[in-house]
Amino acid sequence: QSALTQPASVSGSPGQSITISCTGTRSDVGSYNLISWYQQHPGKAPKLMIYEGSKRPSGVSNRFSGSKSGNTASLTISGLQAEDEADYHCCSYAGSNTLVFGTGTKVTV
Amino acid sequence: QVQLQESGPGLVKPSQTLSLTCTVSGGSLSGGGYYWSWIRQHPGKGLEWVAYIYYNGNTHYNPSLKSRVTISVDTSKNQISLQLSSVTAADTAVYYCARELQIAFDIWGQGTMVTVSS
């Protein structure tokens, strides 16, 4: 069970859109839409931003959106703001009641 | 609202067993169909799922840690516990407990740093 692959870093200017990829295999991302995304500021616990691939919990800005194509899930942040600067982690169901997280991406605004 | 609080020793000696407890407040861990997980984060690294448990004791483990991990639940105390045996420096990490439903961890504890060192 290998970690899902995310780019180490992504950067953008305020107001721009960025996309973070999360690449797995047909045993995890490719087979299930049980994918979630988390935002983590330094020294803080992660915060759920997207679940079931594209759903937003109550209170999460609609600037955050999720999608999937094949073995790759993506998180898009539109209208980038300074407060979006954080680490982002993806997570996928991997079958047999196991889960796998991504390697994490540092977003710089 | 539901809150989670991890507790346990911050320093564990190599080869010993790491024991952590997560106390659930503001709600019952036996309600709502949730699973309760332990997740860890090595310094400067990504997240790693360790294990999860249902209130009835149904457990699931990360295959890479399964031989050393035990997760348990005490509904009378509203607590989830984690034991990790034969620890090494590679087990040094922040350990989080989190509430999970359909592979979405919606509530997290603040995390507790555990260092393995003699």
Side-chain angles (χ1 to χ4, degrees), chain B:
Chain B
Q1 70 277 21
V2 174
Q3 293 183 314
L4 308 179
Q5 178 68 58
E6 304 91 346
S7 59
L11 182 65
V12 181
K13 288 181 167 50
S15 81
Q16 292 189 340
T17 296
L18 178 165
S19 296
L20 298 174
T21 298
C22 174
T23 301
V24 180
S25 60
S28 172
L29 61 78
S30 58
Y34 296 99
Y35 275 82
W36 303 87
S37 279
W38 285 98
I39 296 160
R40 69 181 185 179
Q41 186 171 31
H42 296 102
K45 302 295 185 182
L47 301 167
E48 180 182 29
W49 171 70
V50 176
Y52 62 76
I53 189 167
Y54 197 53
Y55 78 94
N56 63 2
N58 189 20
T59 59
H60 301 286
Y61 296 101
N62 183 324
S64 67
L65 297 170
K66 186 174 183 177
S67 63
R68 298 194 294 128
V69 174
T70 302
I71 188 172
S72 59
V73 63
D74 186 334
T75 54
S76 67
K77 295 182 179 178
N78 234 24
Q79 292 179 334
I80 307 107
S81 296
L82 176 75
Q83 289 194 312
L84 180 63
S85 64
S86 305
V87 297
T88 69
D91 295 309
T92 292
V94 175
Y95 286 76
Y96 293 100
C97 62
R99 188 179 80 169
E100 181 256 327
L101 184 65
Q102 293 285 76
I103 318 304
F105 298 98
D106 65 338
I107 299 176
W108 295 67
Q110 65 183 29
T112 186
M113 179 69 201
V114 177
T115 301
V116 178
S117 175
S118 56

Side-chain angles (χ1 to χ4, degrees), chain A residues 17 22 58 64:
Chain A
S17 293
C22 170
S58 173
F64 292 84

